[in-house]
Amino acid sequence: MILYDKKMIDEIHEQGSRGIVGYMLEKLSKQDHRIIAAYADVGSRFGLIQKMSGSGLQVSIAEQSLIGIISGIYHEGFIPFGVAYAPFITMRAADQIRMSIGEMGLGIKLIGGSAGLVSGNLGAASMALDDIAMMRAIPNISIFSPADCFEAAKMMEVASATDAPFYIRMTGGNSIPRIYSEDFDYRIGKADIVAETGRDVVVYASGMQVHSSIKAAEMLIKDGIGCTIVNMSSIKPIDEKMICSLCDIRLAVSVEEHNAIGGLGSAVADVLATHSRSQKLVKIGINDEYPKPDTYENLLNKYGLTSEKIYMRIKNLMR
Amino acid sequence: MRGGNELDINKISDIAHGMREDIIEMCYCLGNNAAHLGGCMSLVELLAVLYFGHLRFDLNDFKSESRDRVIMSKGQGSIAMYAAMHRVGIIKDLSEVGGLLGESNIYYKQTVRNTDYGIEFSSGSLGQGLAYALGIAWALKKKNNSTSKVYVFLGDGECDEGSVWEAASLVGHLQLDNIVVLVDRNALQIDGFTYNINRMDMMEERWSAFGFNAVTIDGHNIGEINRALSFTSHGKPYAVIADTVKGKGISFAENESEWHQNVLTDELYKRSMFEIRGNNDTL
């Protein structure tokens, strides 16, 4: 168990979406020597080479092998984390994940860096926009998408202490806005209302889009539109209870850096349909296409994923 | 249990015949469901020598730390592995294998991981076993377990998969000398002879190039297999390329790609048993 004081929480928030991985795994591995970090030529980027020397394993640019290797390491009683860029640790290694996690149910932990649009300047090859869809269909796995560095740290701690498979999807870059400033219990499958200005609209957001949605809500309230912003950081299992409790709100909106097909929005729709709730749901995401290379900012803007665009979209929907 | 270099060849030969009978019984149990008869028969001598001459295991503790790990990456060989496990006493009675199907079974046509019963890995998706073995081998060294070995069975058809070579490269780089790869080169895959599908000659050279000590042997010659498995590789992983015959021991299945997976009818069951038992009597 790690004790988080204010200084440490501040330090965590300075790490960024990649640095937090090495920062946290070092802390966790000092407490539990079974924790191993294996990485596919991303060790320097995630602070793993520097921080995990004895408990780190470089597997080269070989994400398929990475999954098999951490599975074998798990087989021998360790708690291995596999770290690579999100599109490669998921889609590239899909069959290995299918077998190791889906079929064998091994408690390996996967961390996918630079998910969503943040690597957009490199093109569609480097953007994970379909990873949630693929991972959701594989049995046994919990899928997390942290809203900030501190939530990511809490997730890694929970994942390391739970003998089950996890996929932690890191969106955003080196500088991530802060959502959580005080310690809290991270509970698997629990959503969190992070802002509540009213009950005209409920917004389900994950990753970096939690912050954009909170900012949009601040603008919407000035127009008299009250929002309930929910951080859906646990995409699987999903907080069905929370979704059902908010289904009397006239409009639901999902906001995510993922294909609008198969991601958080689809997961919310599954819950609404399964429980016969007739709430209107608008999914804001990437509309079933692979973007051409562009900056993170331009891509967020293009797909309506900035606070201004979210604000405008909801305002128009509420007319 | 590792027996060293002295091995009673006649005894192993009898065991191999018994294993072939077991394989036919298990394949026959599947009824109208096809079984991987061909790729099991090619493995028999390799498994017999390994299990009776070299493999460390504890009949009272299938999870014992000092055991050797066996990874049947070539999942189509699973039934042959059960035959070896039966003959050596890990599976007490062949009836435990059941019909190789259904919710409550332990043993299936392709292994389903179950460490309570000594099954280390789920197979069936080719090309995944070597990376898994790499993880085990690395972890064993991390635990300072310097005695256990990791034996990985690959098919030569399986070696079409790029993931085999992705893992092989890193196994060589990490110099994991506790890994022994056994390539069952029976030269057949579903669509025919491997050399017509994807050139897999120069197998020994390939493994050598990836940093392994590699040797090619007759995979049905008990003495040769025993010599190969008696070699201790220091500082390098080890690959044994075993030339074998798919369907070995059953005339209608030998070198026939249709027996990669096929149904053993009543008539063919009787015929194959007759052939195996007949062979046994001639010894």
Side-chain angles (χ1 to χ4, degrees):
Chain A
M1 179 113 180
I2 291 176
L3 294 172
Y4 300 89
D5 57 18
K6 187 178 172 302
K7 185 168 160 276
M8 186 177 174
I9 293 172
D10 288 345
E11 202 173 83
I12 283 171
H13 279 298
E14 285 163 16
Q15 300 300 319
S17 70
R18 289 180 280 273
I20 187 61
V21 178
Y23 176 92
M24 202 56 201
L25 287 180
E26 180 189 34
K27 294 248 181 301
L28 291 168
S29 66
K30 277 185 178 156
Q31 297 199 348
D32 188 336
H33 295 300
R34 295 172 301 165
I35 293 174
I36 303 289
Y39 42 90
D41 195 32
V42 298
S44 56
R45 297 291 186 273
F46 289 77
L48 293 162
I49 291 176
Q50 305 87 324
K51 297 194 160 85
M52 295 294 286
S53 54
S55 300
L57 175 61
Q58 169 71 270
V59 308
S60 76
I61 309 170
E63 292 84 4
Q64 297 175 72
S65 292
L66 171 64
I67 303 299
I69 290 165
I70 59 174
S71 299
I73 292 172
Y74 173 86
H75 186 78
E76 293 300 322
F78 291 92
I79 303 171
F81 283 73
V83 185
Y85 289 117
F88 312 121
I89 202 169
T90 57
M91 296 297 264
R92 181 58 169 260
D95 189 36
Q96 280 76 7
I97 293 171
R98 197 172 65 89
M99 290 305 293
S100 288
I101 294 180
E103 206 278 348
M104 294 192 261
L106 308 178
I108 57 175
K109 333 291 178 189
L110 314 184
I111 298 181
S114 304
L117 297 166
V118 69
S119 291
N121 68 88
L122 294 166
S126 300
M127 289 183 258
L129 300 171
D130 33 31
D131 52 326
I132 298 173
M134 183 217 113
M135 298 296 264
R136 272 180 71 213
I138 291 175
N140 302 318
I141 192 160
S142 294
I143 304 171
F144 292 166
S145 180
D148 70 6
C149 283
F150 188 46
E151 193 176 30
K154 299 293 288 187
M155 285 170 171
M156 278 186 256
E157 189 182 3
V158 166
S160 71
T162 311
D163 185 15
F166 292 87
Y167 169 50
I168 303 179
R169 175 186 208 253
M170 305 295 295
T171 56
N174 291 328
S175 170
I176 293 190
R178 159 199 296 242
I179 306 292
Y180 298 101
S181 288
E182 279 168 28
D183 195 11
F184 60 95
D185 274 340
Y186 187 78
R187 310 248 299 275
I188 299 167
K190 288 284 171 215
D192 182 34
I193 296 175
V194 286
E196 206 168 12
T197 57
R199 286 173 74 95
D200 298 314
V201 186
V202 53
V203 178
Y204 297 108
S206 73
M208 294 295 289
Q209 292 308 314
V210 173
H211 181 256
S212 311
S213 299
I214 294 171
K215 290 285 156 203
E218 288 169 5
M219 291 186 253
L220 284 161
I221 194 63
K222 289 177 186 159
D223 293 329
I225 299 169
C227 298
T228 299
I229 310 295
V230 190
N231 173 15
M232 300 297 291
S233 60
S234 180
I235 295 170
K236 184 186 176 186
I238 197 159
D239 194 340
E240 300 200 15
K241 227 172 173 176
M242 173 77 84
I243 294 167
C244 288
S245 74
L246 297 170
C247 72
D248 58 328
I249 295 175
R250 207 175 98 211
L251 175 68
V253 177
S254 62
V255 190
E256 60 186 320
E257 288 180 40
H258 189 276
N259 193 339
I261 296 173
L264 169 63
S266 293
V268 171
D270 273 3
V271 176
L272 292 173
T274 304
H275 293 275
S276 308
R277 307 299 162 112
S278 60
Q279 189 176 31
K280 180 179 171 66
L281 171 69
V282 173
K283 297 188 283 184
I284 303 179
I286 288 80
N287 298 314
D288 202 25
E289 64 180 24
Y290 282 146
K292 286 283 182 291
D294 209 337
T295 63
Y296 190 25
E297 293 70 27
N298 286 348
L299 290 170
L300 290 171
N301 202 43
K302 179 181 176 189
Y303 294 105
L305 292 165
T306 62
S307 48
E308 290 78 16
K309 285 284 172 82
I310 297 165
Y311 159 71
M312 287 303 294
R313 184 80 184 271
I314 292 176
K315 198 176 157 186
N316 287 333
L317 286 164
M318 291 301 288
R319 275 204 178 128
Chain B
M1 284 269 181
R2 190 171 286 156
N5 302 350
E6 292 303 315
L7 204 67
D8 182 340
I9 289 181
N10 287 333
K11 184 187 149 210
I12 299 294
S13 179
D14 286 348
I15 287 163
H17 278 98
M19 282 175 60
R20 286 201 162 84
E21 286 185 27
D22 289 354
I23 291 168
I24 291 163
E25 288 292 357
M26 284 185 271
C27 290
Y28 185 57
C29 275
L30 278 161
N32 288 327
N33 294 292
H36 296 114
L37 188 69
C40 283
M41 289 302 184
S42 56
L43 278 175
V44 166
E45 280 77 14
L46 287 170
L47 283 162
V49 176
L50 175 64
Y51 274 77
F52 282 86
H54 300 269
L55 196 74
R56 283 169 194 269
F57 56 91
D58 181 345
L59 283 175
N60 298 313
D61 180 9
F62 298 149
K63 295 178 180 176
S64 116
E65 177 59 30
S66 60
R67 76 191 189 282
D68 292 331
R69 279 66 163 166
V70 179
I71 306 299
M72 184 54 73
S73 186
K74 172 199 142 124
Q76 293 77 2
S78 300
I79 291 174
M81 188 173 83
Y82 305 150
M85 289 165 78
H86 171 231
R87 291 289 155 174
V88 90
I90 295 173
I91 297 173
K92 302 277 182 294
D93 191 295
L94 213 55
S95 65
E96 288 172 33
V97 174
L100 298 166
L101 291 167
E103 185 72 30
S104 58
N105 242 13
I106 292 154
Y107 307 97
Y108 296 92
K109 274 204 296 195
Q110 300 182 131
T111 54
V112 171
R113 182 177 180 267
N114 190 334
T115 52
D116 291 339
Y117 292 87
I119 298 171
E120 317 262 5
F121 172 73
S122 286
S123 59
S125 181
L126 292 174
Q128 297 198 12
L130 188 54
Y132 192 84
L134 191 167
I136 292 176
W138 184 84
L140 290 174
K141 290 199 181 265
K142 177 107 180 121
K143 288 192 280 188
N144 296 317
N145 177 340
S146 56
T147 49
S148 297
K149 287 190 178 183
V150 191
Y151 292 96
V152 192
F153 284 91
L154 301 178
D156 56 346
E158 180 179 13
C159 292
D160 292 348
E161 292 281 6
S163 52
V164 169
W165 303 103
E166 185 179 293
S169 181
L170 198 63
V171 169
H173 174 79
L174 294 172
Q175 302 176 327
L176 293 170
D177 55 9
N178 46 356
I179 288 187
V180 179
V181 167
L182 298 113
V183 181
D184 176 21
R185 184 159 65 181
N186 60 34
L188 268 177
Q189 56 197 103
I190 292 176
D191 278 348
F193 287 102
T194 51
Y195 47 77
N196 289 328
I197 292 168
N198 184 358
R199 251 185 68 189
M200 277 293 155
D201 57 352
M202 295 175 65
M203 194 62 97
E204 189 178 321
E205 292 86 340
R206 285 178 192 227
W207 289 98
S208 299
F210 278 92
F212 286 63
N213 277 317
V215 63
T216 304
I217 59 165
D218 174 350
H220 296 299
N221 183 314
I222 289 163
E224 272 191 44
I225 299 167
N226 189 44
R227 271 193 297 282
L229 291 183
S230 300
F231 173 73
T232 303
S233 183
H234 289 295
K236 276 182 169 189
Y238 183 38
V240 178
I241 294 105
D243 282 318
T244 60
V245 175
K246 200 156 179 168
K248 174 78 175 175
I250 305 173
S251 59
F252 60 83
E254 280 192 9
N255 280 318
E256 292 291 339
S257 64
E258 67 175 282
W259 278 97
H260 171 79
Q261 190 177 210
N262 213 335
V263 174
L264 208 56
T265 61
D266 293 350
E267 192 207 326
L268 291 176
Y269 166 74
K270 282 179 199 153
R271 205 173 131 194
S272 46
M273 272 303 189
F274 178 80
E275 287 187 17
I276 297 298
R277 291 190 171 134
N279 282 345
N280 202 14
D281 292 344
T282 62
L283 278 170

